[in-house]
Amino acid sequence: MIVVKVGGSAGIDYDAVCADIAVRWKTGERLILVHGGSGETNRVAEALGHPPKFVTSPSGYTSRFTDRQTLEIFEMVYCGKMNKGIVERLQRLGVNAVGLSGLDGRIFEGRHKDSVRAVENGKVKVLRGDHTGTVERVNTHLIDLLLAGGYLPVLTPPASSYDGVAINVDGDRAAAALAVALKADALLLLSNVPGLLRAYPDESSLIREIPAADVETYLEFAQDRMKKKVLGAAEAVQGGVKRVIFGDARNGQPVSAALGGQGTVVS
Ligand code: ADP
């Protein structure tokens, strides 16, 4: 089993990702696709007059502050435009894909965090009304049913809180939890960079290999949202996933290239 997470940043070639997946799926490879949608969500939120608000925690992690209106815009884009766009691409390629959010069947479950500590103008503030959380549990029953029926699951945040409330969760870490729950052979985290760069944005500074035991020490090279990918990779390998690859989804055959060892391989 291979879990492929494709991000939502500018430059990602979803046609290339879907074409590569379709070829592999038809040869009998078992895989699941998880996707993001942050770039498009930002554009739609601006257009709707509710611009995105990003907060940085005291430990340096950046996340989207998700009030109720932001959550609804997030769902429009992630579960609507992005998810159905990917499902349509796969259907056109002859793959019977089914798109679901983590809320459906409570595939992704976690605790609802209503407030977030954020650094603003050098001061730590507590912001309330946040609809976020972290995936703590993956309920695989529905996924098993889909796979057994020959359907390719295409999954996206949000997740469900333990009370059934929709929560915004990080897609990379959700994919990592899924890979652990499914005892996946590999987790691919595909984005618009060649992999983890030692001196971002210099693409010639690509880190080719990271020993699984050392992955957290590489957090120092990751800025902003890349930190979540490194954290997700650490969680996946600690949970028993043999290989995590940070790969490039901008062109070519992104899944095959990553599985072939291009990008940054954590093992
Ligand atoms: P996605 O939504 O595609 O999953 P993110 O925007 O969450 O991707 O994270 C990937 C981004 O992280 C890259 O586009 C890049 O701008 C940024 N980044 C920060 N530090 C690094 C680094 N050391 N190596 C590669 N990318 C980095």
Side-chain angles (χ1 to χ4, degrees):
M1 169 65 67
I2 296 178
V3 174
V4 179
K5 154 69 176 38
V6 61
S9 302
I12 290 175
D13 186 343
Y14 295 99
D15 290 329
V17 173
C18 290
D20 197 9
I21 284 177
V23 170
R24 301 187 73 98
W25 178 259
K26 287 178 189 170
T27 65
E29 189 162 83
R30 278 160 53 91
L31 54 86
I32 295 188
L33 183 58
V34 180
H35 67 86
S38 58
E40 187 63 17
T41 300
N42 294 347
R43 274 190 293 281
V44 172
E46 293 278 359
L48 292 176
H50 194 69
K53 177 172 177 174
F54 289 97
V55 295
T56 305
S57 72
S59 50
Y61 288 91
T62 305
S63 60
R64 184 188 296 275
F65 182 73
T66 310
D67 60 15
R68 188 72 206 180
Q69 198 181 344
T70 300
L71 179 77
E72 287 170 7
I73 296 169
F74 178 94
E75 288 178 331
M76 280 168 53
V77 177
Y78 278 69
C79 313
K81 185 171 183 184
M82 298 299 294
N83 190 267
K84 296 315 151 202
I86 290 172
V87 169
E88 184 188 8
R89 282 180 180 89
L90 289 167
Q91 289 290 354
R92 289 175 74 131
L93 292 161
V95 176
N96 208 353
V98 172
L100 295 169
S101 81
L103 195 55
D104 297 279
R106 290 197 187 218
I107 293 171
F108 293 135
E109 230 182 348
R111 198 170 47 83
H112 176 188
K113 222 166 125 254
D114 173 68
S115 61
V116 63
R117 274 157 42 88
V119 183
E120 278 182 5
N121 302 324
K123 289 199 186 119
V124 179
K125 288 189 179 166
V126 177
L127 304 175
R128 297 195 190 282
D130 201 9
H131 285 265
T132 58
T134 305
V135 175
E136 294 166 345
R137 198 187 288 172
V138 179
N139 298 305
T140 56
H141 182 65
L142 182 53
I143 294 169
D144 294 338
L145 288 178
L146 289 172
L147 289 170
Y151 300 97
L152 191 160
V154 180
L155 306 180
T156 184
S160 172
S161 77
Y162 294 117
D163 299 325
V165 174
I167 49 173
N168 180 3
V169 293
D170 179 66
D172 294 308
R173 295 179 68 193
L178 179 70
V180 170
L182 295 173
K183 300 186 170 52
D185 304 299
L187 166 66
L188 311 189
L189 298 175
L190 306 179
S191 184
N192 63 348
V193 280
L196 181 64
L197 305 174
R198 192 173 286 275
Y200 173 77
D202 174 5
E203 298 200 355
S204 68
S205 71
L206 175 69
I207 298 167
R208 299 216 64 100
E209 282 177 25
I210 299 178
D214 298 345
V215 56
E216 272 171 351
T217 65
Y218 284 76
L219 270 172
E220 67 169 291
F221 301 115
Q223 286 138 41
D224 312 320
R225 309 217 319 256
M226 198 70 194
K227 279 184 191 287
K228 295 264 175 73
K229 290 190 199 298
V230 177
L231 208 59
E235 288 164 353
V237 290
Q238 280 155 18
V241 178
K242 287 180 228 63
R243 267 199 312 163
V244 181
I245 303 145
F246 302 110
D248 198 337
R250 289 175 297 184
N251 49 45
Q253 295 173 301
V255 173
S256 302
L259 287 171
Q262 281 180 40
T264 304
V265 181
V266 184
S267 62

